[in-house]
Amino acid sequence: MKNLPQFIFLLFHTLFIGIAVYESQENLYQLIPLVMISSMLLYFYLHNFSKNKELVEKDIQISTIIFAILGGLATFALQDRFELSAVLSAGIVGLFGGILPKIIAKPLAKIASSAIYCGAFVGMTPPVLAGNYLFITLASIFAGFILILTRENFNGYGGKLGSIAFAGVSLVSLLTYMLL
């Protein structure tokens, strides 16, 4: 249980790169960099795990999930209803999440900032894949849970929130595929 966040990240990064390797088997120019990236990720996971573990308060956990849902739904709504691009939609929501701690000087605003931004990545899922707001809500809930699990891990490393969003969307896609 101690290394569960690292295992989740390793699993989804391996899945993502494995699919990319499978799709580029015939093109050696794509295969070599993917194998190198996989090797570097494996090295990172084996040698650079964060050792700092602190318990997070229950109200912070619920707030994280709620803000992740709000970020995901807001981004998806901008994309779906107002026909903005996914990048512009996520940029607008992410900007709001980023300036929130500057406007409101409360500890909750700092928690909300990263959760909203993570949800914005979830909301970038194309409507063709997501289908509806329920998909985005469920993916945001999963992303919020993973964000809580990894709150003290991978700080200072780029791509954490995007990887969490990818994991949330992947889990819901997998569940949808298995159940429907």
Side-chain angles (χ1 to χ4, degrees):
M1 198 66 164
K2 177 180 153 186
N3 292 326
L4 183 62
Q6 291 90 353
F7 177 74
I8 291 170
F9 265 81
L10 177 63
L11 178 70
F12 281 101
H13 276 145
T14 304
L15 176 67
F16 180 73
I17 292 173
I19 291 169
V21 167
Y22 178 76
E23 290 179 352
S24 64
Q25 286 179 9
E26 296 176 14
N27 191 344
L28 190 61
Y29 295 110
Q30 291 178 354
L31 188 59
I32 292 171
L34 287 172
V35 170
M36 289 174 55
I37 290 169
S38 299
S39 301
M40 287 186 283
L41 272 175
L42 182 61
Y43 176 81
F44 169 80
Y45 282 113
L46 292 175
H47 292 92
N48 293 319
F49 287 154
S50 174
K51 305 278 190 264
N52 187 8
K53 298 280 182 186
E54 293 180 11
L55 294 176
V56 181
E57 297 175 19
K58 190 174 187 175
D59 59 333
I60 293 175
Q61 293 175 354
I62 294 169
S63 299
T64 299
I65 294 170
I66 290 170
F67 285 120
I69 293 169
L70 291 174
L73 290 176
T75 303
F76 190 73
L78 288 172
Q79 190 180 178
D80 186 44
R81 299 280 183 215
F82 297 105
E83 297 179 1
L84 296 176
S85 71
V87 174
L88 183 59
S89 300
I92 292 168
V93 173
L95 179 64
F96 174 76
I99 63 172
L100 194 62
K102 304 292 183 196
I103 298 170
I104 305 169
K106 293 185 179 181
L108 186 61
K110 186 174 182 182
I111 294 161
S113 181
S114 61
I116 289 170
Y117 201 61
C118 183
F121 283 123
V122 172
M124 289 179 75
T125 307
V128 173
L129 175 65
N132 56 33
Y133 290 91
L134 178 61
F135 182 97
I136 297 298
T137 303
L138 292 175
S140 297
I141 291 170
F142 280 117
F145 277 123
I146 296 170
L147 183 60
I148 291 166
L149 286 172
T150 60
R151 183 162 306 281
E152 298 300 324
N153 300 90
F154 307 117
N155 293 328
Y157 294 98
K160 176 180 176 178
L161 298 178
S163 296
I164 290 171
F166 172 75
V169 170
S170 297
L171 283 170
V172 176
S173 295
L174 180 65
L175 288 173
T176 302
Y177 177 76
M178 290 173 55
L179 296 176
L180 298 179

